[in-house]
Amino acid sequence: MNKPIDARLLQPAEAFADYLKNAAARIDTGAEAKAVADGARVGISRPHESAALHVAGEATYIDDIPELAGTLHCALGLSPMAAGRLVGMSLDRIRAMPGVVAVLSATDIPGSNDCGSIVHDDPILCSGDIRYLGQPVFAVIAETRDAARRAAAKAKDVLEIEAATPVLTPQDAHARGLYVVPPMHLVRSTNEGGAAAAIARAPRRLRGTLDVGGQEQFYLEGQISYAIPKEGGAMHVHCSTQHPSEMQHLVAHALHLHANEVHVECRRMGGGFGGKESQSGLFACVAAVAANQLRRPVKLRLDRDDDFMITGRRHCFWYEYEVGFDDEGRVLGAEVTMVSRAGHSADLSGPVMTRALCHFDNAYWLPDVAMHGYSGKTHTQSNTAFRGFGGPQGAIAIENILDSVARELGRDPLDVRRVNFYGKDSQNVTPYQQVVTDNIIHELVAELEESSDYRARRAEIAAFNATSPVLKRGIALAPLKFGISFNVKHFNQAGALVHVYTDGSILVNHGGTEMGQGLNTKVAQVVAHELGVSFESVRVTATDTTKVANTSATAASTGADLNGKAAQDAARQIRERLAACAAARHGGEPGAVRFANDQVEVNGRTLSFATVVGEAYLDRMQLWSDGFYATPGLSWDKDKMQGRPFFYYAYGAAVSEVIVDTLTGEFKLLRADILHDAGKSLNPAVDIGQVEGAFIQGMGWLTTEELVWHPQSGKLTTHAPSTYKIPTANDCPPVFNVKLFEGENFEDSIHRSKAVGEPPLLLPFSVFFAIRDAVSAVAEHRVDPPLRAPATSEAILNAITAVQAA
């Protein structure tokens, strides 16, 4: 008989409702209220600045912008084959269809037919080689979106293609030596002979392979661009993008214009997750080329299926590894080969692999290690950025290795992980030679181990499994260390503009983009804090290439770090000018003037902020300023793969408990306990929301979100919600305890906070390894389960079968 479990754990709707009701208890609202009374505007839990607009349906996205008279609509004709050569097109048949105004091909692009982010190997429209099934070949421009889509759907009838056999898997690409960028090697040797000798000398050795799938970004707002021709041949593009400056450059190259003739604007995105960092470029370019040729506004909004079929996503990885270790599980040497499915072009695959290699160590000291990274070229969509940007793919490999080492030794995986942690004063240098100076993993994990009651629960689970032949429970604690900064040094810069109007209201513009993550909320808090005004006095406007130029992508979790610092710099300059003006009028020293709670205290007098601003205007004081920030102390040698690529590290850990039905392969997450390091949080409510969202999104990547390509045709068969399952509210655990670790950033980040966008995506490693633990219990933990990710029911059943057969 199976031992019954607490019925409350099987009622997610009711339990999760209780969790939401008590969410405020996770934040010390009393301390926050006191801080606000004292003038603080950061470290305060505030709703998202557009929250009311979101729930009222008033937040404007690209498709909500009122269409100008004469607006046309664009759809893309896609290749029905994955590999081959385009030898002919009968586009006149498309031009004759109802409502069609024009049909454009690669020959109609006046400038460069390329939207490659780094390597110029990514055509906007196919001009010869067919690279994947779903590749845009031509663009239909019609009076209505429906007419454009109906015409574009005829692509298979008008394209003449000489078919070839596609290369679809990273293993196949690796075997053929097909790569989009040269292979990468990151090696650290502390003993003679390096990793291979260390493994050979080790008392114990283990080797194996691992498959980890990719993940679709599945942003709620799909890819969309709205191009409006302006006077003098200029172009204004409203684009849902994380990187307006790159869109500006790509459109300028496609139209053969200067950058100052292209204006790109983005008020907000309905999600991005990395999928709109580089890959919004193709759609911005097509819309702009069409608008330029026809001299009419053109909107290109993808259908969800076309979005899946055209754009790339998180790279899937295949690993082959060998590790040497001692009887305590201490790693003495490790060698790993990582092969990613890059797709048909380079896109961001090089930097993704770099970050994967730089995160193989995760939170662990690896004395002798050799890592090899290969970005396999396949006839599939060009994979790109996704929250974590290779970091999760690198870190999960070492976590899988340590989990297997623990099972080999019959030890608790937590004990094996702990014995390998980076040290504080020694054994604290990464394989790429950066010293880990801010290590808090020991105390963070110890706190979570105690607060989650990990040891007692593991014993309870063992007792449950001993009497339950069908249902098996599993538990795992997984830590993380995640580097913050772009690996490319010059991307770590940002600019901002702050305007103070004579009524005391403030307008802010910065180079970051808002995609729902709360960046504008945090920047507004920083400016309000610096000027001593209420949050409501500050308004943040759309990201705009005509206001702040040469911006970096809002990516790598650097949005608040970079743009917050730049906005703070601009606001500080204004505050110092106002202080000097107030002291000149009312006496006292400028340094003694205090700004707080919409008031200014100067030489014993208290004036309103608006009064001081009005006086400064009368005194002809500049009431606007630009701000700039560049992250200090960074270095990176891409050839040696050494340096200090990260300004600091964010840490965290999670404990997950699951139950697995060994007859069906189904699992349920029963409980998750998370302790995450956000430094001195700018907005605890927003940061906790980011941690929760990242956990559930990462859990989807590792459990349910399976990408499947047809092995012959190369068609992505999981290209819609009907075949691709993202997590829903029902997948949230009924017991979900999330807390921010108390502490501040060791480095001088914005108010000593830490980035929180990407790091928590590694927390659901604990779910995957809890499932692995439950599967292992089928054979009383004597057999290491060959579980692949995503751990779908099919994958879990396959692993159970393998364990039972061993």
Side-chain angles (χ1 to χ4, degrees):
M1 294 290 292
N2 287 306
K3 182 180 178 181
I5 62 174
D6 190 335
R8 291 172 297 175
L9 299 181
L10 301 179
Q11 298 172 349
E14 294 83 348
F16 195 60
D18 290 340
Y19 154 77
L20 291 175
K21 291 177 185 177
N22 298 316
R26 295 169 292 160
I27 299 169
D28 190 345
T29 53
E32 287 193 2
K34 183 179 184 302
V36 170
D38 292 339
R41 296 295 179 265
V42 295
I44 307 301
S45 295
R46 292 201 56 87
H48 191 285
E49 49 92 25
S50 294
L53 298 176
H54 289 155
V55 298
E58 296 179 8
T60 301
Y61 296 90
I62 304 298
D63 203 37
D64 298 317
I65 297 171
E67 294 177 3
L68 299 176
T71 292
L72 298 172
H73 297 266
C74 181
L76 298 170
L78 310 181
S79 168
M81 295 185 180
R85 182 76 183 168
L86 178 65
V87 296
M89 295 186 287
S90 303
L91 297 182
D92 286 343
R93 293 171 58 185
I94 305 295
R95 293 186 179 101
M97 291 185 68
V100 173
V101 175
V103 181
L104 306 180
S105 64
T107 57
D108 295 301
I109 299 173
S112 174
N113 180 25
D114 179 77
C115 57
S117 182
I118 300 173
V119 181
H120 301 301
D121 65 344
D122 202 340
I124 298 168
L125 296 174
C126 176
S127 59
D129 290 334
I130 296 295
R131 294 159 168 248
Y132 66 101
L133 195 157
Q135 180 182 4
V137 181
F138 60 87
V140 178
I141 297 88
E143 296 290 349
T144 67
R145 182 168 179 266
D146 185 63
R149 292 188 62 215
R150 288 179 182 276
K154 299 294 184 180
K156 61 182 179 295
D157 299 327
V158 302
L159 299 179
E160 184 181 351
I161 299 171
E162 291 180 353
T165 302
V167 176
L168 299 174
T169 69
Q171 295 96 316
D172 196 6
H174 186 46
R176 296 168 184 246
L178 299 175
Y179 310 114
V180 296
V181 293
M184 302 177 189
H185 305 282
L186 176 52
V187 176
R188 193 253 297 278
S189 298
T190 61
N191 296 289
E192 185 177 350
I199 294 169
R201 288 192 301 263
R204 294 172 176 267
R205 288 178 293 279
L206 189 69
R207 63 169 57 204
T209 62
L210 174 66
D211 270 298
V212 175
Q215 185 181 24
E216 170 65 29
Q217 291 89 356
F218 218 106
Y219 24 67
L220 290 179
E221 176 200 33
Q223 298 279 3
I224 181 170
S225 287
Y226 185 28
I228 304 168
K230 310 299 282 189
E231 63 182 19
M235 188 64 60
H236 183 186
V237 182
H238 294 277
C239 182
S240 183
T241 180
Q242 296 171 236
H243 202 345
S245 286
E246 182 173 329
M247 301 307 105
Q248 178 190 35
H249 298 154
L250 292 174
V251 169
H253 290 314
L255 297 182
H256 201 61
L257 297 175
H258 294 295
N260 66 359
E261 297 172 288
V262 177
H263 173 197
V264 177
E265 185 176 358
C266 179
R267 171 62 183 92
R268 61 172 61 84
M269 287 167 277
F273 306 116
K276 297 176 181 177
E277 181 175 345
S278 62
Q279 300 223 344
S280 44
L282 187 150
F283 314 106
C285 287
V286 170
V289 167
N292 179 69
Q293 178 161 320
L294 301 173
R295 304 313 298 169
R296 290 172 66 177
V298 174
K299 180 189 286 188
L300 198 173
R301 175 169 67 86
L302 289 189
D303 174 81
R304 177 67 67 181
D305 289 80
D306 287 347
D307 204 321
F308 261 88
M309 298 301 292
I310 296 171
T311 65
R313 46 198 60 85
R314 185 188 300 283
H315 295 67
C316 74
F317 269 59
W318 175 80
Y319 312 83
E320 189 172 32
Y321 60 82
E322 186 174 13
V323 60
F325 54 98
D326 64 19
D327 291 340
E328 291 187 343
R330 187 176 291 104
V331 173
L332 304 176
E335 185 161 12
V336 62
T337 294
M338 306 184 188
V339 186
S340 70
R341 179 191 274 123
H344 71 91
S345 69
D347 195 82
L348 297 172
S349 294
V352 165
M353 182 58 74
T354 298
R355 186 169 280 262
L357 295 174
C358 288
H359 282 77
F360 174 67
D361 62 324
N362 196 18
Y364 310 110
W365 159 251
L366 304 176
D368 288 273
V369 61
M371 296 172 272
H372 315 287
Y374 301 89
S375 302
K377 185 173 184 177
T378 56
H379 289 100
T380 56
Q381 295 83 359
S382 188
N383 284 329
T384 188
F386 195 134
R387 195 177 195 172
F389 201 81
Q393 293 99 311
I396 197 170
I398 190 64
E399 292 298 335
N400 191 75
I401 289 170
L402 293 180
D403 197 61
S404 296
V405 166
R407 198 159 288 108
E408 176 82 7
L409 295 173
R411 301 192 68 196
D412 189 316
L414 173 56
D415 294 331
V416 171
R417 288 181 166 97
R418 181 172 270 132
V419 80
N420 284 288
F421 280 162
Y422 274 110
K424 297 273 191 175
D425 302 312
S426 63
Q427 299 185 341
N428 63 343
V429 180
T430 67
Y432 47 90
Q433 300 302 306
Q434 178 163 342
V435 179
V436 181
T437 58
D438 58 1
N439 188 356
I440 59 171
I441 197 65
H442 297 269
E443 46 266 52
L444 187 150
V445 168
E447 181 178 331
L448 180 63
E449 179 185 6
E450 181 179 357
S451 65
S452 66
D453 205 16
Y454 172 83
R455 299 289 179 179
R457 287 166 61 197
R458 179 165 282 287
E460 178 194 342
I461 288 168
F464 173 89
N465 288 338
T467 59
S468 177
V470 174
L471 298 180
K472 297 292 184 182
R473 288 160 68 184
I475 191 170
L477 187 154
L480 72 89
K481 173 182 70 68
F482 194 91
I484 303 299
S485 289
F486 288 100
N487 275 70
V488 180
K489 179 180 176 181
H490 66 262
F491 289 163
N492 295 283
Q493 59 175 299
L497 295 173
V498 175
H499 297 253
V500 178
Y501 295 95
T502 54
D503 64 353
S505 64
I506 299 158
L507 193 70
V508 180
N509 188 270
H510 60 85
T513 52
E514 175 63 51
M515 61 195 91
Q517 83 278 40
L519 174 59
N520 284 348
T521 306
K522 289 185 174 182
V523 170
Q525 287 181 268
V526 167
V527 171
H529 184 84
E530 197 69 20
L531 293 174
V533 299
S534 63
F535 177 84
E536 291 73 19
S537 298
V538 183
R539 179 169 174 259
V540 182
T541 57
T543 311
D544 189 322
T545 57
T546 66
K547 294 180 180 178
V548 178
N550 310 318
T551 59
S552 295
T554 304
S557 301
T558 61
D561 282 4
L562 295 177
N563 297 287
K565 275 284 194 180
Q568 182 188 46
D569 178 46
R572 176 190 53 77
Q573 295 177 53
I574 296 171
R575 177 174 51 77
E576 289 175 351
R577 292 182 200 135
L578 290 174
C581 180
R585 274 182 168 258
H586 303 288
E589 293 296 322
V593 178
R594 182 174 182 268
F595 294 76
N597 297 322
D598 295 303
Q599 295 181 327
V600 181
E601 296 178 5
V602 51
N603 199 28
R605 300 188 61 186
T606 299
L607 306 172
S608 71
F609 179 78
T611 297
V612 172
V613 168
E615 292 176 346
Y617 173 74
L618 295 176
D619 291 342
R620 300 186 298 176
M621 187 69 66
Q622 181 179 328
L623 293 173
W624 61 269
S625 184
D626 62 318
F628 181 77
Y629 176 73
T631 308
L634 301 179
S635 65
W636 183 246
D637 185 323
K638 65 180 179 64
D639 297 319
K640 295 181 179 178
M641 296 200 75
Q642 292 181 356
R644 187 195 176 191
F646 306 122
F647 188 35
Y648 61 85
Y649 296 100
Y651 299 85
V655 175
S656 291
E657 181 181 344
V658 303
I659 188 164
V660 171
D661 186 329
T662 61
L663 298 181
T664 65
E666 294 174 288
F667 89 96
K668 181 161 188 62
L669 177 61
L670 302 177
R671 175 176 168 179
D673 295 80
I674 296 171
L675 184 59
H676 191 76
D677 165 36
K680 194 174 181 181
S681 173
L682 292 173
N683 187 320
V686 165
D687 285 349
I688 285 176
Q690 285 291 294
V691 171
E692 292 170 342
F695 182 86
I696 299 300
Q697 186 175 55
M699 182 178 73
W701 166 46
L702 295 172
T703 60
T704 64
E705 298 184 43
E706 186 172 28
L707 295 162
V708 179
W709 282 265
H710 191 281
Q712 279 80 47
S713 70
K715 180 178 181 179
L716 177 64
T717 60
T718 51
H719 56 82
S722 58
T723 52
Y724 185 83
K725 186 184 184 308
I726 62 172
T728 66
N730 265 354
D731 296 300
C732 294
V735 180
F736 199 7
N737 302 315
V738 181
K739 182 183 176 185
L740 299 181
F741 184 72
E742 293 290 335
E744 63 178 34
N745 199 335
F746 285 33
E747 298 291 346
D748 182 23
S749 59
I750 184 68
H751 290 287
R752 300 284 176 172
S753 64
K754 286 190 178 184
V756 76
E758 293 174 303
L761 197 124
L762 282 66
L763 294 168
F765 286 1
S766 57
V767 177
F768 180 79
F769 292 110
I771 295 172
R772 209 166 183 256
D773 185 54
V775 173
S776 175
V778 171
E780 298 180 353
H781 304 292
R782 295 188 305 269
V783 181
D784 197 41
L787 183 64
R788 68 180 185 269
T792 59
S793 294
E794 181 183 14
I796 292 171
L797 269 182
N798 288 343
I800 290 170
T801 300
V803 167
Q804 290 171 333

